[in-house]
Amino acid sequence: MGSSLSLFLNPRGSVAVPPANPGLGDLPESCVASVMVYLNPSEICSLSMLNRGFRAASSADFVWESKLPINYELLIDRVFGGVDDFSNNLCKRDIYARLCRPSYFDGGSKKVWLDKGTGRVCLSISANGLAITGIDDRRYWSRIKTDESRFQSIAYLQQIWWVEVGGEVDFPFPAGSYSIFYRLQVGRSSRRFGRRICNSEHVHGWDKKPVQFQLSTSDGQQATTQCYMKEPGKWKYHHVGDFTVTGSAANMKVKFSMTQIDCTHTKGGLCVDSVLICPSEFTERLKRF
């Protein structure tokens, strides 16, 4: 009897009275955190602003560990050179926030980040990180500084017979489906009196034959697409193809290329910014650019 009665008493011996008007602030933090596991990061951040209890629940390690890539430690080791140096004294929420900020690696030629809304991995390779035929000959190519590039620099083709721009990346992609895009522009843009203008002086040859894009992976996946270069003065994402990663325990090597090697005519006036590897669900969004 006494033991049963003690369940209804507070430490001072008085009867525990529930709040007259219970609200969200009365929910146990552990219960709130257990619900947050099923929400996306944006929803978690919105709920964290409701009250102090929700804010504390949103900081739980197991909430944010569920949003991190399953192999996030391999990703950290590849980009930052070690998990211990990176995550020392950081909670999982802070690790997630840090990985959402673009981070350079491989000598600054690549950037990787997590999409804030989904936690999926995105990776970009600069023009400096690509193998471009003739890039060292100023008669054909030149490197131009610009704030229109994520890397502040692009490769500009003046004129050449043989166009070949390729590269590869060896990276611990988490399991999922990914798409590869080249970010290209026909014509060279600049600013005059504060307005953006496009110089099409060197643009020629892209209407005669399509450009071919290819990709291959270390586990045998392949894809090929082709298209004509159009719409001068507009940056466009050109879809190379898709590949799938089924496991997250090892690196996936991906090779990609863009070619127009019909030597019956020259080509020119093309800006090469970067190559983007992102989750396939972003494809439709990028095609609108």
Side-chain angles (χ1 to χ4, degrees):
M1 178 69 178
S3 61
S4 299
L5 181 61
S6 65
L7 296 175
F8 298 93
L9 300 178
N10 65 17
R12 296 182 179 180
S14 59
V15 177
V17 180
N21 296 302
L24 291 176
D26 300 309
L27 289 171
E29 290 179 11
S30 59
C31 293
V32 175
S34 296
V35 172
M36 287 182 170
V37 168
Y38 298 96
L39 305 179
N40 64 46
S42 298
E43 293 168 335
I44 294 172
C45 292
S46 296
L47 286 178
S48 70
M49 295 186 288
L50 286 178
N51 56 52
R52 185 179 301 173
F54 275 52
R55 184 161 56 252
S58 70
S59 300
D61 268 359
F62 73 89
V63 170
W64 289 101
E65 188 158 19
S66 69
K67 309 308 169 190
L68 287 165
I70 192 170
N71 67 340
Y72 76 93
E73 291 184 339
L74 288 177
L75 189 153
I76 291 172
D77 188 60
R78 175 68 174 84
V79 176
F80 299 96
V83 176
D84 293 337
D85 293 338
F86 173 86
S87 59
N88 189 31
N89 298 322
L90 291 180
C91 65
K92 294 297 190 294
R93 181 189 62 182
D94 291 342
I95 291 175
Y96 185 91
R98 178 65 185 84
L99 290 177
C100 285
R101 299 201 300 268
S103 299
Y104 288 100
F105 67 107
D106 282 1
S109 64
K110 299 180 180 68
K111 277 186 178 181
V112 65
W113 66 96
L114 300 186
D115 176 67
K116 290 182 179 179
T118 64
R120 299 291 305 280
V121 170
C122 300
L123 190 151
S124 185
I125 303 100
S126 71
N128 288 335
L130 301 175
I132 303 176
T133 300
I135 188 63
D136 295 324
D137 193 326
R138 294 295 298 274
R139 293 175 299 173
Y140 307 131
W141 290 89
S142 57
R143 299 196 185 277
I144 300 173
K145 298 290 185 181
T146 174
D147 58 6
E148 295 188 356
S149 168
R150 183 187 297 274
F151 296 90
Q152 306 301 312
S153 175
I154 62 171
Y156 177 68
L157 172 64
Q158 299 178 79
Q159 178 173 289
I160 203 169
W161 294 90
W162 181 291
V163 177
E164 188 171 19
V165 180
E168 66 177 59
V169 62
D170 193 1
F171 196 78
F173 291 100
S177 180
Y178 297 86
S179 299
I180 301 182
F181 297 86
Y182 274 79
R183 187 173 186 259
L184 308 170
Q185 177 183 267
V186 176
R188 177 177 174 178
S189 57
S190 60
R191 291 196 173 275
R192 180 177 297 173
F193 303 115
R195 298 184 59 185
R196 185 180 187 274
I197 60 173
C198 178
N199 186 343
S200 301
E201 176 186 0
H202 298 124
V203 176
H204 68 281
W206 303 110
D207 57 340
K208 300 187 185 315
K209 290 288 179 69
V211 173
Q212 181 167 286
F213 300 94
Q214 292 182 309
L215 77 82
S216 62
T217 66
S218 51
D219 64 353
Q221 300 177 67
Q222 296 183 347
T224 302
T225 58
Q226 60 181 24
C227 71
Y228 287 90
M229 299 286 104
K230 301 177 180 179
E231 300 184 63
K234 183 178 180 181
W235 286 105
K236 296 183 69 66
Y237 286 95
H238 294 271
H239 188 209
V240 179
D242 304 330
F243 66 93
T244 301
V245 179
T246 55
S248 302
N251 286 9
M252 169 76 80
K253 180 177 285 187
V254 184
K255 295 183 178 181
F256 43 85
S257 66
M258 161 192 159
T259 56
Q260 216 293 22
I261 55 178
D262 183 348
C263 293
T264 61
H265 63 281
T266 61
K267 284 75 66 174
L270 181 70
C271 294
V272 178
D273 174 33
S274 58
V275 170
L276 174 67
I277 303 177
C278 65
S280 293
E281 57 260 38
F282 296 174
T283 297
E284 291 305 315
R285 184 196 312 175
L286 290 170
K287 284 183 177 179
R288 292 196 292 268
F289 287 95

